[in-house]
Amino acid sequence: MTWLELGDDAPFDAWTLPYGVFSTAGEAPRVGVAVGSWVLDLAPLAGAELFAQPTLNPFLAAGRPAWDAVRGRLLELVTEEAHRTSVEPHLVPAADVRPHLPFEVADYVDFYASQTHAENVGRLFRPDNPALPAAWRHLPIGYHGRAGTVVVSGTPVVRPSGLRRGGGADAAPAFGPSLKLDIEAEAGFVVGTPSPLGSRVPVGAFEDHVFGMVLVNDWSARDIQSFEYVPLGPFLGKSFATSVSPWVVPLAALAHARVSPPPRSPEPAAYLADAEPWGLDVSLEVEWNGTVVSRPPVRELYWTAAQQLAHLTVNGASLRTGDLYASGTVSGPRPGGSGCFLELTWNGAEPITLADGSARAFLEDGDTVTIRATAPGPAGARLRLGEVTGTVHPTP
Amino acid sequence: MTWLELGDDAPFDAWTLPYGVFSTAGEAPRVGVAVGSWVLDLAPLAGAELFAQPTLNPFLAAGRPAWDAVRGRLLELVTEEAHRTSVEPHLVPAADVRPHLPFEVADYVDFYASQTHAENVGRLFRPDNPALPAAWRHLPIGYHGRAGTVVVSGTPVVRPSGLRRGGGADAAPAFGPSLKLDIEAEAGFVVGTPSPLGSRVPVGAFEDHVFGMVLVNDWSARDIQSFEYVPLGPFLGKSFATSVSPWVVPLAALAHARVSPPPRSPEPAAYLADAEPWGLDVSLEVEWNGTVVSRPPVRELYWTAAQQLAHLTVNGASLRTGDLYASGTVSGPRPGGSGCFLELTWNGAEPITLADGSARAFLEDGDTVTIRATAPGPAGARLRLGEVTGTVHPTP
């Protein structure tokens, strides 16, 4: 219960309390917490050292005890009427703020944790091979993406150019703007506490290192990707833009969303054994020019974020504050759960119709995609976890 | 001609003038220039704003005009006897300094530019397919590596653990320390001037954006890599450590090393057309426990660093100050030119014998690998371009 008047349409309730970086006209970017239709300016209430900052990184680096202490204090501030007079002056209408990239991205890793997605991509890209790569059930397959092109929700996405396969078996490749611009709806995880080179982070230490979750749209040019990706993986087909939601949802806010992950067979190696269930009952919703076209279920992912973190570091790779790693496209096994248009339209073979009657196979210039998410909260509530949006701009 | 007494064995002459970050006992890291057997402390001579800094990034961000002006001034200082009294107090014996990672790495990209290497790896990893990937002659294949584990020469390399293929066709994978720890001898390029998201850097703008070159050892665990890399590319097999030389050689120092790259067939796409020849006659030398085992020739690389930069940005990806991109393993077409042990020992099938009589297929704990480089300089001189070294430590 909160003394704030939130309304049913408020973007966030008084439990989620996600962190971001915002600015108002003429003022420097600083850390805020989104609640209702406001942004709570954190520095005056919780200290300038961590919060009068243009990124969350100092707070991320402060570690789990600091994260828990600040969240505990925030829950008091928004639930106890006695704090109303001290809090109200620092509530800025969300409509008046500009959100910024919430943290400086150190390294960006993208996984491939949806079995449905991996099988579908296998069928489409490698029809002569088994749908699932040989190692897929043994380890969370992943790769490094471009940290420097991670952008905040709302940043225009310029259609990338590149080489794609030419027509005919021996034809020269064709160069030009991508003809198969796609999205990937994903859940992303933000590392706060670093780990030293040469050490490992076990599955059970997930909560000590990971601060929270963002929504990710890993824009993908399928024609560029499918021409370039053998043998070193996706490169220019992905590196032009990756959008993230501006408000980082702390793990603590997802306590009621934790579920057991799907059964794994064969049993994974010991370093990947679940210490605690870190499946997450987060439901994504993909909206294309105003039409909801799919609802990808994060709970169906084969590998959890805790397992992905253990895998990422099992070779001794260090973590840095600001590392971002994402789930890979979230596609569920049932119809209506595709996290990318490659699957939704079966590589363009089965176009879909939007609410305005227009047909789509891949993204056209001017198209806007918004990914939202919800999850179970306390007392049966359904929490809103924010959104990530982007509009396609033509190649210059 | 310089007034410094360099001696024949000096690590650097008075022309190369590479930049790095160093510290002396009890003093903070700061920018220096290596000359002879000294390090020139740059802040007192060229300004604290750019050089009393723990990384080269502020100087890298200053751009080509600043790079040229400082180099011009340095050449005056070391060649004109009149400057001896003002310069000598700031020469620190190289033996007394500790080198640091010279720049904060933004994104790290590794290419695959040696045709010999790509063909050999194809034969070893994908014996049932054509040796060269389909796209290889059409574009510089590359991928993103882990920026957070780029370390300075001399940093211990802890043997990584991971999953590798098990024995027998249906066997479970095996977990443990890598049994096939390898090196990759590469040339790396350091970006100074950034470029905005949504724009391209043409081949001809290479010198405006790239500050200089480092030597790179991209340590690789071949058994981990070959199990994990389909379809998203190398991940844990590479992400545990990438060593770079501490002294960044400015492009201007390589003016006499520029050569025409090898002929390409088919003709690359227009965005990859050579504006100027950026082949580089840099000779690497790989020393394994004191035995020189190969001399990889950078001049044989199919794709130049200028083409790689144009490719990296053709999709609109932005550049940041501190971006590092490397050539990929430099392996020449003639015997004795292998840039990794996978090729040198043909995946362990043909072990080599070191000077102490011991045989090697891959790296053993305690082994040290040092990569050095030379290039043509002014007046027929052979420039030393520094070294990158590392010793393998056992898995904890």
Side-chain angles (χ1 to χ4, degrees):
Chain A
M1 296 305 296
T2 175
W3 52 262
L4 284 100
E5 288 157 28
L6 299 183
D8 285 347
D9 292 336
F12 293 104
D13 58 32
W15 164 261
T16 308
L17 300 175
Y19 297 80
V21 171
F22 74 102
S23 63
T24 44
E27 297 200 26
R30 56 202 189 273
V31 174
V33 164
V35 56
S37 299
W38 296 276
V39 173
L40 183 58
D41 192 352
L42 218 50
L45 290 163
E49 193 185 341
L50 292 182
F51 300 114
Q53 297 281 356
T55 83
L56 284 175
N57 292 54
F59 179 51
L60 297 179
R64 173 60 54 198
W67 308 337
D68 288 345
V70 172
R71 180 170 168 83
R73 177 68 179 149
L74 286 171
L75 285 168
E76 281 175 18
L77 290 175
V78 299
T79 52
E80 296 173 15
E81 173 78 25
H83 296 298
R84 180 195 280 259
T85 51
S86 59
V87 170
E88 274 187 340
H90 305 296
L91 288 171
V92 185
D96 296 347
V97 314
R98 182 183 154 209
H100 296 261
L101 187 66
F103 56 99
E104 279 179 38
V105 183
D107 271 298
Y108 166 48
V109 165
D110 200 20
F111 284 96
Y112 199 50
S114 157
Q115 182 171 342
T116 302
H117 175 68
E119 288 175 343
N120 283 339
V121 172
R123 286 187 192 108
L124 288 166
F125 277 21
R126 294 172 291 281
D128 301 332
N129 291 309
L132 220 47
W136 197 90
R137 289 175 179 278
H138 295 294
L139 54 81
I141 288 178
Y143 73 106
H144 285 89
R146 190 162 186 81
T149 53
V150 175
V151 297
V152 71
S153 175
T155 304
V157 174
V158 177
R159 182 180 298 273
S161 288
L163 288 169
R164 59 179 181 270
R165 211 165 271 119
D170 292 327
F175 178 84
S178 171
L179 304 177
K180 292 191 172 179
L181 187 58
D182 196 358
I183 65 151
E184 295 198 330
E186 311 194 11
F189 295 85
V190 183
V191 171
T193 305
S195 69
L197 191 65
S199 72
R200 299 178 194 175
V201 175
V203 174
F206 174 64
E207 281 182 284
D208 297 335
H209 290 272
V210 168
F211 171 75
M213 194 186 84
V214 287
L215 307 181
V216 176
N217 185 345
D218 194 29
W219 306 88
S220 298
R222 300 301 182 189
D223 42 0
I224 297 173
Q225 179 188 352
S226 67
F227 184 64
E228 75 181 355
Y229 85 104
V230 175
L232 301 187
F235 185 38
L236 299 196
K238 304 274 197 169
S239 65
F240 55 96
T242 303
S243 302
V244 298
S245 54
W247 299 104
V248 185
V249 175
L251 280 191
L254 298 173
H256 304 85
R258 291 178 61 178
V259 291
S260 290
R264 285 67 164 255
S265 176
E267 193 73 26
Y271 79 89
L272 292 169
D274 290 310
E276 299 175 87
W278 268 108
L280 287 171
D281 185 16
V282 169
S283 298
L284 305 183
E285 175 185 283
V286 178
E287 191 185 273
W288 192 346
N289 292 351
T291 304
V292 173
V293 294
S294 71
R295 300 185 193 276
V298 173
R299 66 177 297 154
E300 304 278 4
L301 296 177
Y302 193 89
W303 300 106
T304 70
Q307 290 173 311
Q308 288 166 340
L309 191 71
H311 183 64
L312 182 49
T313 60
V314 73
N315 67 346
S318 47
L319 297 175
R320 290 183 293 170
T321 298
D323 280 346
L324 169 67
Y325 66 99
S327 58
T329 306
V330 179
S331 289
R334 283 171 290 281
S338 295
C340 67
F341 303 151
L342 178 75
E343 290 170 85
L344 187 67
T345 71
W346 207 249
N347 200 14
E350 301 168 13
I352 65 160
T353 303
L354 303 181
D356 66 0
S358 64
R360 284 289 186 289
F362 289 97
L363 288 161
E364 298 187 4
D365 291 344
D367 281 2
T368 296
V369 174
T370 303
I371 301 166
R372 300 189 184 85
T374 60
R382 192 83 199 168
L383 307 177
R384 292 184 170 132
L385 304 180
E387 64 175 48
V388 56
T389 190
T391 297
V392 177
H393 287 225
T395 308
Chain B
M1 298 299 299
T2 176
W3 51 262
L4 284 99
E5 289 157 26
L6 299 182
D8 285 348
D9 292 336
F12 292 104
D13 58 34
W15 166 260
T16 308
L17 300 174
Y19 297 79
V21 171
F22 75 101
S23 62
T24 45
E27 296 199 27
R30 56 203 189 273
V31 174
V33 164
V35 54
S37 299
W38 295 276
V39 173
L40 183 58
D41 192 352
L42 218 49
L45 290 163
E49 193 186 339
L50 292 182
F51 300 114
Q53 297 280 357
T55 83
L56 283 175
N57 292 54
F59 180 50
L60 296 179
R64 172 61 55 199
W67 308 336
D68 288 345
V70 172
R71 179 170 168 83
R73 177 68 179 149
L74 285 171
L75 285 168
E76 282 175 17
L77 290 175
V78 300
T79 52
E80 295 173 16
E81 173 78 24
H83 296 298
R84 179 195 283 259
T85 51
S86 60
V87 169
E88 272 186 341
H90 306 296
L91 289 171
V92 184
D96 297 345
V97 315
R98 181 183 155 209
H100 297 260
L101 187 65
F103 55 100
E104 278 178 40
V105 182
D107 270 299
Y108 166 48
V109 165
D110 200 19
F111 283 96
Y112 200 50
S114 157
Q115 182 171 343
T116 302
H117 174 68
E119 288 175 342
N120 284 337
V121 171
R123 287 188 191 107
L124 289 165
F125 277 21
R126 294 172 291 279
D128 301 331
N129 291 310
L132 220 46
W136 196 91
R137 290 175 179 277
H138 295 294
L139 53 80
I141 289 178
Y143 74 107
H144 285 88
R146 191 163 185 81
T149 52
V150 174
V151 296
V152 70
S153 175
T155 304
V157 175
V158 177
R159 182 181 298 273
S161 288
L163 288 169
R164 58 179 181 272
R165 211 163 270 121
D170 291 329
F175 179 83
S178 171
L179 304 177
K180 292 191 173 179
L181 187 58
D182 196 358
I183 65 152
E184 294 197 331
E186 310 193 12
F189 295 84
V190 183
V191 171
T193 304
S195 69
L197 191 66
S199 72
R200 302 178 191 174
V201 175
V203 174
F206 173 64
E207 282 182 284
D208 297 335
H209 290 272
V210 168
F211 172 75
M213 195 187 83
V214 288
L215 307 180
V216 176
N217 185 345
D218 193 30
W219 306 86
S220 298
R222 299 301 182 190
D223 41 1
I224 297 173
Q225 179 188 351
S226 67
F227 184 64
E228 74 180 353
Y229 85 104
V230 174
L232 301 187
F235 185 39
L236 299 196
K238 304 275 198 169
S239 65
F240 55 96
T242 303
S243 303
V244 297
S245 55
W247 300 103
V248 185
V249 175
L251 280 192
L254 298 173
H256 303 85
R258 291 179 60 177
V259 292
S260 289
R264 284 67 164 256
S265 177
E267 194 74 25
Y271 79 89
L272 292 169
D274 291 309
E276 299 175 87
W278 269 108
L280 287 171
D281 185 16
V282 170
S283 298
L284 305 182
E285 175 184 283
V286 179
E287 191 184 274
W288 194 346
N289 292 352
T291 303
V292 173
V293 295
S294 72
R295 298 184 194 277
V298 173
R299 67 176 297 152
E300 303 279 3
L301 296 177
Y302 193 87
W303 300 106
T304 70
Q307 290 172 310
Q308 289 166 340
L309 191 72
H311 184 63
L312 182 49
T313 59
V314 74
N315 67 345
S318 48
L319 297 176
R320 290 183 293 170
T321 298
D323 279 346
L324 169 67
Y325 66 99
S327 58
T329 307
V330 180
S331 288
R334 284 170 289 281
S338 295
C340 68
F341 303 152
L342 178 76
E343 291 170 86
L344 188 67
T345 72
W346 207 246
N347 200 13
E350 301 168 11
I352 66 161
T353 304
L354 302 182
D356 66 1
S358 65
R360 285 289 187 288
F362 289 97
L363 288 161
E364 299 187 2
D365 290 345
D367 281 3
T368 296
V369 173
T370 303
I371 301 166
R372 299 189 185 85
T374 61
R382 192 83 199 167
L383 307 177
R384 292 183 171 130
L385 304 181
E387 64 175 48
V388 55
T389 189
T391 297
V392 178
H393 287 225
T395 307

